Amino acid sequence: MFGCITLLLALLVVPAAAAPVKILALGTSLTQGYGVPPGLDFTAVLEARLRATGVDAKLINAGVSGDTSAGGLARLDWSLADHPDAAIVELGSNDALRGQSPDQTQKNLRAVLARLKVAHVPVLLLGMKAPRNLGTEYAAQFDPIYPKLAAQYGALLYPFMLDGVAMNPRLNQADGIHPNPAGVKVIVARVLPLVRRLVAEVKR
């Protein structure tokens, strides 16, 4: 009799489905989706591609148009209130466009990565490159920031978010800076393997 009751209880208990992996995307207009229709921004397309490959993920779009690395750092604690399992960090492009000090950009990004490490949130860092019209000296100071910090904090690194898209008029909006929907798809396709590795690092 006891065995029958135990079996009945076991049949009635349905295991709860695992919650989607929450990925915070902290960034600029490139993350926010400036100039593209709703549902075609970086986070929406990446989430759809992850799900299509069997990864149950929820992307939190924390992109702010025009934001600098200082702005991203200032709102990091607020963004962490969603308790993400992992984070994609895309900051620094606007610092370079404004010619801000690479040392300050590095300091801000270091603080972001340090805060995420303390929170045990694995990170994928999307690197940027300085506009070449700022000169070789500026680029030599700015470009190495991302590989240096990724190595220091054990973050995954995609060296240049706009790789394969920058300077291609077919993949950019009229401003020549922001990717169009076709450009977003290229970025997502290229970064997807690293995002899958990021998800694999999540400890739940």
Coordinates of all heavy atoms in Angstrom, one line a residue, residues 47-109:
E47 N 18.8 36.7 -29.2 CA 17.9 35.8 -28.4 C 17.2 34.8 -29.3 O 17.2 33.6 -29.0 CB 16.9 36.7 -27.7 CG 15.9 35.8 -26.8 CD 14.9 36.6 -26.0 OE1 15.4 37.5 -25.3 OE2 13.7 36.4 -26.2
A48 N 16.7 35.3 -30.5 CA 16.1 34.4 -31.4 C 17.0 33.3 -31.9 O 16.7 32.1 -32.1 CB 15.4 35.2 -32.5
R49 N 18.2 33.7 -32.2 CA 19.2 32.8 -32.8 C 19.6 31.8 -31.7 O 19.8 30.6 -32.0 CB 20.5 33.5 -33.3 CG 20.2 34.3 -34.5 CD 20.0 33.4 -35.8 NE 21.3 32.7 -36.1 CZ 21.5 31.4 -36.1 NH1 20.5 30.6 -35.8 NH2 22.6 30.9 -36.5
L50 N 19.8 32.2 -30.5 CA 20.1 31.3 -29.4 C 19.0 30.2 -29.2 O 19.3 29.0 -29.1 CB 20.3 32.0 -28.1 CG 21.6 32.8 -27.9 CD1 21.5 33.7 -26.7 CD2 22.8 31.8 -27.8
R51 N 17.8 30.7 -29.2 CA 16.6 29.8 -29.1 C 16.6 28.8 -30.2 O 16.2 27.6 -30.1 CB 15.3 30.6 -28.9 CG 15.2 31.3 -27.6 CD 13.9 32.1 -27.5 NE 13.9 32.8 -26.2 CZ 13.3 32.3 -25.1 NH1 12.9 31.1 -25.1 NH2 13.3 33.1 -24.0
A52 N 16.9 29.3 -31.4 CA 16.9 28.4 -32.6 C 17.9 27.3 -32.5 O 17.8 26.3 -33.2 CB 17.1 29.3 -33.9
T53 N 19.0 27.6 -31.8 CA 20.0 26.6 -31.6 C 19.9 25.8 -30.3 O 20.8 25.1 -29.9 CB 21.4 27.3 -31.6 OG1 21.5 28.2 -30.6 CG2 21.7 27.9 -33.0
G54 N 18.7 25.9 -29.7 CA 18.5 25.1 -28.5 C 18.9 25.7 -27.2 O 18.9 25.0 -26.1
V55 N 19.2 27.0 -27.2 CA 19.6 27.6 -25.9 C 18.5 28.5 -25.4 O 18.1 29.5 -26.1 CB 20.9 28.5 -26.1 CG1 21.2 29.2 -24.8 CG2 22.0 27.7 -26.6
D56 N 17.9 28.2 -24.3 CA 16.8 28.9 -23.7 C 17.3 30.2 -23.0 O 17.8 30.0 -21.9 CB 16.0 28.1 -22.8 CG 14.7 28.7 -22.3 OD1 14.3 29.8 -23.0 OD2 14.0 28.3 -21.4
A57 N 17.3 31.3 -23.7 CA 18.0 32.5 -23.1 C 17.0 33.7 -23.2 O 16.2 33.8 -24.1 CB 19.3 32.8 -23.8
K58 N 17.2 34.6 -22.2 CA 16.4 35.8 -22.2 C 17.4 37.0 -22.2 O 18.2 37.1 -21.2 CB 15.5 35.9 -21.0 CG 14.8 37.3 -20.8 CD 13.9 37.6 -21.9 CE 13.2 38.9 -21.7 NZ 12.3 39.3 -22.9
L59 N 17.5 37.8 -23.2 CA 18.4 38.9 -23.3 C 17.8 40.1 -22.7 O 16.6 40.5 -23.0 CB 18.8 39.2 -24.8 CG 20.0 38.5 -25.4 CD1 21.3 39.0 -24.7 CD2 19.8 37.0 -25.2
I60 N 18.5 40.8 -21.8 CA 18.0 42.1 -21.2 C 18.7 43.2 -21.9 O 19.9 43.4 -21.8 CB 18.4 42.1 -19.7 CG1 17.8 40.9 -19.0 CG2 17.9 43.4 -19.1 CD1 18.3 40.7 -17.5
N61 N 18.0 44.0 -22.7 CA 18.6 45.1 -23.4 C 18.8 46.3 -22.5 O 17.9 47.0 -22.2 CB 17.6 45.4 -24.6 CG 18.3 46.4 -25.6 OD1 19.2 47.2 -25.2 ND2 17.9 46.4 -26.8
A62 N 20.1 46.4 -22.2 CA 20.5 47.6 -21.3 C 21.4 48.5 -22.2 O 22.4 49.0 -21.7 CB 21.2 47.1 -20.1
G63 N 21.0 48.7 -23.4 CA 21.8 49.6 -24.3 C 21.2 51.0 -24.2 O 19.9 51.1 -24.2
V64 N 22.0 52.0 -24.2 CA 21.6 53.4 -24.1 C 22.3 54.1 -25.2 O 23.5 54.2 -25.2 CB 21.8 54.0 -22.7 CG1 21.5 55.5 -22.8 CG2 21.0 53.3 -21.7
S65 N 21.5 54.7 -26.1 CA 22.1 55.5 -27.2 C 23.0 56.6 -26.7 O 22.6 57.4 -25.8 CB 21.0 56.0 -28.1 OG 21.6 56.7 -29.2
G66 N 24.2 56.7 -27.2 CA 25.1 57.8 -26.8 C 25.9 57.6 -25.5 O 26.7 58.4 -25.1
D67 N 25.7 56.4 -24.9 CA 26.3 56.2 -23.6 C 27.8 56.0 -23.7 O 28.3 55.4 -24.7 CB 25.7 55.0 -22.9 CG 25.6 55.1 -21.4 OD1 26.1 56.1 -20.8 OD2 25.2 54.1 -20.7
T68 N 28.5 56.4 -22.7 CA 29.9 56.2 -22.6 C 30.2 55.1 -21.6 O 29.3 54.6 -20.9 CB 30.6 57.5 -22.1 OG1 30.1 57.8 -20.8 CG2 30.4 58.6 -23.1
S69 N 31.5 54.8 -21.5 CA 31.9 53.7 -20.5 C 31.6 54.2 -19.1 O 31.2 53.4 -18.2 CB 33.4 53.4 -20.6 OG 34.2 54.6 -20.4
A70 N 31.7 55.5 -18.8 CA 31.3 56.1 -17.5 C 29.8 55.9 -17.3 O 29.4 55.6 -16.1 CB 31.7 57.6 -17.5
G71 N 29.0 56.2 -18.3 CA 27.6 56.0 -18.1 C 27.2 54.6 -17.8 O 26.3 54.3 -17.0
G72 N 27.8 53.6 -18.5 CA 27.6 52.2 -18.3 C 27.9 51.8 -16.9 O 27.2 51.1 -16.3
L73 N 29.1 52.3 -16.4 CA 29.5 52.0 -15.0 C 28.5 52.6 -14.0 O 28.1 51.9 -13.1 CB 30.9 52.6 -14.8 CG 31.4 52.5 -13.4 CD1 31.5 51.1 -12.9 CD2 32.8 53.2 -13.3
A74 N 28.0 53.8 -14.3 CA 27.1 54.5 -13.4 C 25.8 53.7 -13.2 O 25.2 53.8 -12.1 CB 26.8 55.9 -13.8
R75 N 25.3 53.0 -14.2 CA 24.0 52.3 -14.2 C 24.2 50.8 -14.0 O 23.2 50.1 -14.1 CB 23.2 52.7 -15.4 CG 23.8 52.3 -16.7 CD 22.9 53.0 -17.8 NE 23.6 52.8 -19.1 CZ 23.4 51.7 -19.9 NH1 22.6 50.7 -19.5 NH2 24.0 51.6 -21.1
L76 N 25.4 50.4 -13.7 CA 25.6 48.9 -13.6 C 24.9 48.3 -12.5 O 24.2 47.2 -12.6 CB 27.1 48.6 -13.5 CG 27.5 47.1 -13.4 CD1 27.0 46.3 -14.5 CD2 29.0 47.0 -13.2
D77 N 24.9 48.9 -11.3 CA 24.2 48.3 -10.2 C 22.7 48.2 -10.4 O 22.1 47.2 -10.0 CB 24.5 49.1 -8.9 CG 25.9 48.9 -8.3 OD1 26.5 47.8 -8.7 OD2 26.4 49.7 -7.5
W78 N 22.2 49.2 -11.0 CA 20.7 49.2 -11.4 C 20.5 48.1 -12.3 O 19.5 47.4 -12.2 CB 20.4 50.5 -12.0 CG 18.9 50.6 -12.5 CD1 17.8 50.8 -11.8 CD2 18.5 50.4 -13.8 NE1 16.7 50.8 -12.6 CE2 17.1 50.5 -13.8 CE3 19.2 50.1 -15.0 CZ2 16.3 50.4 -15.0 CZ3 18.4 50.0 -16.2 CH2 17.0 50.1 -16.2
S79 N 21.4 47.9 -13.3 CA 21.2 46.8 -14.3 C 21.3 45.4 -13.6 O 20.6 44.4 -14.0 CB 22.2 46.9 -15.4 OG 22.1 48.1 -16.1
L80 N 22.1 45.3 -12.6 CA 22.3 44.0 -11.9 C 21.1 43.7 -11.0 O 21.0 42.5 -10.5 CB 23.6 44.0 -11.1 CG 24.9 43.9 -11.9 CD1 26.1 44.1 -10.9 CD2 25.0 42.6 -12.6
A81 N 20.2 44.6 -10.8 CA 19.0 44.3 -10.0 C 18.1 43.2 -10.7 O 17.3 42.6 -10.0 CB 18.2 45.6 -9.9
D82 N 18.3 43.0 -12.0 CA 17.6 41.9 -12.7 C 18.2 40.6 -12.4 O 17.7 39.6 -12.9 CB 17.6 42.2 -14.2 CG 16.6 43.3 -14.6 OD1 15.5 43.3 -13.9 OD2 16.8 44.0 -15.5
H83 N 19.3 40.5 -11.7 CA 20.0 39.3 -11.3 C 20.3 38.4 -12.6 O 19.9 37.3 -12.7 CB 19.2 38.4 -10.4 CG 18.9 39.2 -9.1 ND1 19.8 39.5 -8.1 CD2 17.7 39.7 -8.6 CE1 19.2 40.2 -7.1 NE2 18.0 40.3 -7.4
P84 N 21.1 39.0 -13.5 CA 21.5 38.3 -14.7 C 22.4 37.1 -14.4 O 23.2 37.1 -13.4 CB 22.2 39.3 -15.6 CG 22.7 40.3 -14.6 CD 21.7 40.3 -13.5
D85 N 22.3 36.1 -15.2 CA 23.2 34.9 -15.1 C 24.6 35.2 -15.8 O 25.6 34.5 -15.5 CB 22.6 33.7 -15.7 CG 21.3 33.3 -15.0 OD1 21.3 33.1 -13.8 OD2 20.2 33.3 -15.7
A86 N 24.6 36.1 -16.8 CA 25.8 36.4 -17.6 C 25.6 37.8 -18.2 O 24.5 38.3 -18.1 CB 25.9 35.3 -18.7
A87 N 26.7 38.3 -18.7 CA 26.6 39.7 -19.2 C 27.4 39.8 -20.5 O 28.5 39.2 -20.6 CB 27.1 40.7 -18.2
I88 N 26.9 40.6 -21.4 CA 27.7 41.0 -22.6 C 27.9 42.5 -22.4 O 27.0 43.3 -22.2 CB 26.8 40.8 -23.9 CG1 26.6 39.3 -24.1 CG2 27.6 41.3 -25.1 CD1 25.6 39.0 -25.2
V89 N 29.2 42.9 -22.5 CA 29.5 44.3 -22.2 C 30.0 44.9 -23.5 O 31.0 44.5 -24.1 CB 30.6 44.4 -21.1 CG1 31.1 45.9 -21.0 CG2 30.1 43.9 -19.8
E90 N 29.3 46.0 -24.0 CA 29.6 46.7 -25.2 C 29.7 48.2 -24.9 O 28.7 48.8 -25.0 CB 28.6 46.3 -26.3 CG 28.7 47.1 -27.6 CD 28.0 48.4 -27.6 OE1 26.7 48.4 -27.4 OE2 28.6 49.5 -27.9
L91 N 30.8 48.6 -24.5 CA 31.0 50.0 -24.1 C 32.3 50.6 -24.6 O 33.3 49.8 -24.8 CB 31.0 50.2 -22.6 CG 29.6 49.9 -21.9 CD1 29.8 49.8 -20.4 CD2 28.6 51.0 -22.2
G92 N 32.4 51.8 -24.8 CA 33.7 52.5 -25.2 C 33.7 53.1 -26.6 O 34.5 54.0 -26.9
S93 N 32.7 52.7 -27.4 CA 32.7 53.3 -28.8 C 32.4 54.8 -28.7 O 33.1 55.6 -29.5 CB 31.6 52.6 -29.6 OG 30.3 52.7 -29.0
N94 N 31.5 55.3 -27.9 CA 31.3 56.7 -27.8 C 32.4 57.5 -27.1 O 32.6 58.6 -27.4 CB 30.0 56.9 -27.1 CG 28.8 56.5 -27.9 OD1 28.7 56.8 -29.1 ND2 27.9 55.8 -27.3
D95 N 33.1 56.8 -26.3 CA 34.3 57.4 -25.7 C 35.3 57.8 -26.8 O 35.8 58.9 -26.9 CB 35.1 56.4 -24.7 CG 34.2 56.0 -23.6 OD1 33.0 55.7 -23.8 OD2 34.7 56.0 -22.4
A96 N 35.5 56.8 -27.7 CA 36.5 57.0 -28.8 C 35.9 58.1 -29.8 O 36.7 58.9 -30.3 CB 36.7 55.7 -29.5
L97 N 34.7 58.0 -30.1 CA 34.1 59.0 -31.0 C 34.3 60.4 -30.5 O 34.4 61.4 -31.3 CB 32.6 58.7 -31.3 CG 32.3 57.5 -32.2 CD1 30.8 57.2 -32.2 CD2 32.8 57.7 -33.6
R98 N 34.3 60.6 -29.2 CA 34.4 61.9 -28.6 C 35.9 62.2 -28.2 O 36.2 63.3 -27.7 CB 33.6 62.0 -27.3 CG 32.1 61.8 -27.6 CD 31.3 61.7 -26.4 NE 29.9 61.3 -26.6 CZ 28.9 61.1 -25.7 NH1 29.2 61.3 -24.4 NH2 27.7 60.7 -26.1
G99 N 36.8 61.3 -28.6 CA 38.2 61.5 -28.3 C 38.5 61.6 -26.8 O 39.5 62.2 -26.4
Q100 N 37.8 60.8 -26.0 CA 38.0 60.9 -24.6 C 39.3 60.1 -24.3 O 39.8 59.2 -25.1 CB 36.8 60.3 -23.8 CG 35.6 61.1 -23.9 CD 34.4 60.6 -23.1 OE1 34.5 59.5 -22.5 NE2 33.3 61.3 -23.1
S101 N 39.8 60.3 -23.1 CA 41.1 59.7 -22.7 C 41.0 58.1 -22.7 O 40.1 57.6 -22.0 CB 41.5 60.1 -21.3 OG 42.4 59.3 -20.7
P102 N 41.8 57.4 -23.4 CA 41.8 56.0 -23.3 C 42.1 55.4 -21.9 O 41.5 54.4 -21.5 CB 42.9 55.5 -24.3 CG 43.0 56.7 -25.3 CD 42.7 57.9 -24.5
D103 N 42.9 56.2 -21.2 CA 43.1 55.7 -19.8 C 41.9 55.7 -19.0 O 41.6 54.8 -18.1 CB 44.2 56.7 -19.1 CG 45.6 56.4 -19.7 OD1 45.8 55.4 -20.3 OD2 46.4 57.3 -19.5
Q104 N 41.0 56.8 -19.2 CA 39.8 56.8 -18.4 C 38.8 55.7 -18.9 O 38.1 55.1 -18.1 CB 39.1 58.2 -18.6 CG 37.9 58.4 -17.7 CD 38.2 58.3 -16.2 OE1 39.2 58.9 -15.7 NE2 37.5 57.5 -15.5
T105 N 38.8 55.5 -20.2 CA 37.9 54.4 -20.7 C 38.3 53.1 -20.1 O 37.5 52.3 -19.6 CB 38.0 54.3 -22.2 OG1 37.6 55.6 -22.8 CG2 37.2 53.2 -22.8
Q106 N 39.6 52.8 -20.1 CA 40.1 51.6 -19.5 C 39.8 51.5 -18.0 O 39.3 50.4 -17.5 CB 41.6 51.5 -19.6 CG 42.2 50.3 -19.1 CD 43.7 50.1 -19.5 OE1 44.0 49.7 -20.6 NE2 44.6 50.4 -18.6
K107 N 39.9 52.6 -17.3 CA 39.5 52.6 -15.8 C 38.1 52.3 -15.6 O 37.7 51.5 -14.8 CB 39.8 54.0 -15.3 CG 39.5 54.1 -13.8 CD 39.9 55.5 -13.3 CE 39.5 55.7 -11.8 NZ 39.8 57.1 -11.3
N108 N 37.2 52.9 -16.5 CA 35.8 52.6 -16.3 C 35.4 51.1 -16.7 O 34.6 50.5 -15.9 CB 35.0 53.5 -17.2 CG 35.1 55.0 -16.9 OD1 35.3 55.3 -15.7 ND2 34.9 55.9 -17.8
L109 N 36.0 50.6 -17.7 CA 35.7 49.3 -18.1 C 36.3 48.3 -17.1 O 35.6 47.3 -16.8 CB 36.3 49.0 -19.5 CG 35.6 49.6 -20.7 CD1 36.3 49.4 -22.0 CD2 34.2 49.0 -20.8

